[in-house]
Amino acid sequence: MKTYLLIPVIIFYLFLLSQGAQAAIDVNLLLVNQDPYPVEPGGNVNLEIEIQSISVASQNIYIEMVVKDPFTLLPGEERVKVFSKIGAGESSKTSYNLHVDEDAITGIYEIEFKIYTDPTSNISVTKKVTVNVEGKPQLILKKVETIPQQIKPGDTVNVYTSIENIGTGTARRAKMTLNCSTTYILPILSGGQVYIGDITPGSSGMATFLMNVDSSTEYGTYPCMVSVEYTDENNLQQLKIFPSIGLPVKGSVILNVINIELNEQRKKLKIDIANRGTGDAKSLEAKLIIDNTTIGIDYITQLKASKQSTLEFPLIYTGRGKLIITYTGPGTETHTFSREVVLNFEKPSQDSFWIFAVIGLAALAVIYLLLRKKKK
């Protein structure tokens, strides 16, 4: 018989062998449980497998897992499990512990099993089970910074907010919102919401908020809330609210000299100053220098915002110089305020003294005469 005539015969023979093997291996393989379900990339999963003998008893059944990416068997796990006998219509169970690669993409993965009775033979039956792998986004607030760093009333501030996805799934169509719990700090234009887009595992997203700080804002730290809306791997809407952040506003001190006058009776020069700012000035030390000579120093413990106070110095009528005030601002920094002072008060003369003395004596004489007239 010619060789080419043998080929169909061989193929047909192998076909009959495979059909006989499949008849001999009359079993089914099912996935009973996946724990956890779904499993995250980078995690471990336990697969509980059930082998069912359908119509006849099965002996020496080999179950071999074909391990492929993104799965690997955990140390100590065997690819091949052997069942000595499974009765007709009965079943038996086994389990496999696998590790899922951290770079695995969300999806449904098939795992293939080969079932055979003779390990030396290439004849086997193939069964497949499916494993659900699903990444989960995990967002953290990475950084918040402002420009300018020192926020003052009346400023327009850029708030730069950065978040990072340290999870295993993508946060899709993410939108970040910034809300401050005060009407003194409000967003400009965007309404406090910025679209970021998709944030894949290991990547970051940044949003810039333009905020207006009202000029009447007082010194203090104002709590603000950052939140992110996104769609997870199951196409479900999620909301992540981060712990409150604080935006520190440093009130400013604005000193003004509002009046200078003499107090002849107390022999003092009085200078009234006012704080027109939004922050308190503390530990004020005022020095009056006229014609390069220090006239005096006065102290004020605290000058609150929108308040005024009076400084007192030894009496002086004329001269040119400066009023220098050092103080501690709303923080701990020291500031210096300086204003030019020009004094041009008229000094009382001796002639004026005698005129007032004569007028006084005349008044006393008139009173004396009137009293004597009433007695008569």
Side-chain angles (χ1 to χ4, degrees):
M1 184 181 293
K2 295 183 178 180
T3 303
Y4 68 88
L5 294 176
L6 289 175
I7 295 175
V9 175
I10 295 172
I11 293 174
F12 180 71
Y13 177 72
L14 292 175
F15 173 75
L16 291 177
L17 285 177
S18 65
Q19 292 298 313
Q22 292 189 33
I25 308 173
D26 190 17
V27 298
N28 196 15
L29 185 145
L30 301 172
L31 175 64
V32 178
N33 186 50
Q34 172 188 332
D35 184 27
Y37 182 89
V39 61
E40 285 191 63
N44 297 333
V45 62
N46 175 268
L47 302 180
E48 187 177 358
I49 304 298
E50 183 177 26
I51 299 91
Q52 300 173 339
S53 184
I54 300 173
S55 58
V56 296
S58 301
Q59 295 183 348
N60 297 324
I61 300 298
Y62 291 80
I63 308 296
E64 179 182 347
M65 175 184 280
V66 181
V67 184
K68 295 180 181 179
D69 286 338
F71 303 103
T72 54
L73 283 169
L74 290 179
E77 287 289 320
E78 298 289 340
R79 288 187 307 107
V80 180
K81 305 288 180 77
V82 182
F83 298 88
S84 58
K85 183 177 181 179
I86 304 175
E90 297 178 354
S91 64
S92 185
K93 292 180 181 179
T94 187
S95 65
Y96 290 87
N97 290 299
L98 304 171
H99 176 75
V100 184
D101 191 89
E102 62 181 10
D103 295 325
I105 301 172
T106 295
I108 304 296
Y109 291 84
E110 286 187 340
I111 295 182
E112 182 179 304
F113 290 86
K114 290 182 178 180
I115 305 173
Y116 49 86
T117 57
D118 183 3
T120 63
S121 171
N122 292 327
I123 300 173
S124 63
V125 175
T126 299
K127 301 290 182 179
K128 295 179 181 179
V129 300
T130 58
V131 179
N132 191 341
V133 177
E134 183 180 301
K136 295 180 181 179
Q138 184 179 351
L139 303 179
I140 61 170
L141 188 59
K142 188 176 181 181
K143 183 170 61 176
V144 177
E145 60 181 14
T146 64
I147 295 179
Q149 292 183 344
Q150 302 292 332
I151 304 173
K152 300 187 296 296
D155 280 349
T156 297
V157 183
N158 281 299
V159 182
Y160 297 98
T161 307
S162 175
I163 57 175
E164 184 178 1
N165 185 358
I166 61 172
T168 55
T170 299
R172 305 185 188 280
R173 300 181 290 279
K175 293 182 290 186
M176 191 185 301
T177 302
L178 176 65
N179 283 318
C180 296
S181 59
T182 175
T183 57
Y184 292 102
I185 303 177
L186 296 174
I188 300 175
L189 299 177
S190 66
Q193 189 174 79
V194 176
Y195 180 78
I196 300 174
D198 294 350
I199 308 174
T200 56
S203 66
S204 298
M206 177 173 283
T208 302
F209 300 93
L210 188 63
M211 311 293 285
N212 178 67
V213 182
D214 193 90
S215 58
S216 61
T217 306
E218 296 183 355
Y219 165 73
T221 299
Y222 293 84
C224 299
M225 184 184 70
V226 177
S227 61
V228 179
E229 295 178 46
Y230 65 92
T231 303
D232 65 13
E233 298 282 7
N234 282 324
N235 207 31
L236 298 175
Q237 285 294 116
Q238 302 291 343
L239 175 64
K240 172 66 176 180
I241 300 175
F242 298 103
S244 177
I245 63 172
L247 290 184
V249 178
K250 291 193 173 183
S252 59
V253 175
I254 303 174
L255 297 181
N256 290 119
V257 175
I258 57 176
N259 187 46
I260 301 176
E261 62 180 23
L262 301 177
N263 188 327
E264 294 281 0
Q265 292 182 347
R266 298 184 62 240
K267 302 296 182 182
K268 294 290 185 180
L269 174 69
K270 296 170 58 179
I271 300 179
D272 296 327
I273 61 172
N275 182 0
R276 305 297 191 195
T278 57
D280 298 343
K282 299 178 181 179
S283 304
L284 294 88
E285 180 186 272
K287 182 185 293 186
L288 180 63
I289 301 174
I290 300 297
D291 298 331
N292 297 321
T293 301
T294 300
I295 303 303
I297 300 175
D298 198 8
Y299 300 92
I300 300 174
T301 303
Q302 185 178 34
L303 183 57
K304 292 188 175 183
S306 304
K307 299 295 182 180
Q308 64 183 56
S309 187
T310 300
L311 299 167
E312 291 188 343
F313 300 98
L315 187 63
I316 184 171
Y317 293 93
T318 60
R320 180 185 293 270
K322 287 185 178 181
L323 175 66
I324 301 174
I325 302 175
T326 58
Y327 63 91
T328 301
T332 58
E333 69 281 1
T334 300
H335 299 273
T336 300
F337 167 84
S338 179
R339 283 293 182 274
E340 185 180 12
V341 174
V342 178
L343 302 177
N344 192 23
F345 293 104
E346 186 176 349
K347 188 175 183 180
S349 63
Q350 293 296 326
D351 292 339
S352 299
F353 170 77
W354 288 114
I355 291 172
F356 285 115
V358 170
I359 293 173
L361 290 172
L364 290 174
V366 170
I367 294 171
Y368 174 74
L369 293 173
L370 289 173
L371 290 174
R372 286 195 59 184
K373 195 171 183 180
K374 285 183 179 181
K375 289 180 180 181
K376 292 181 179 181

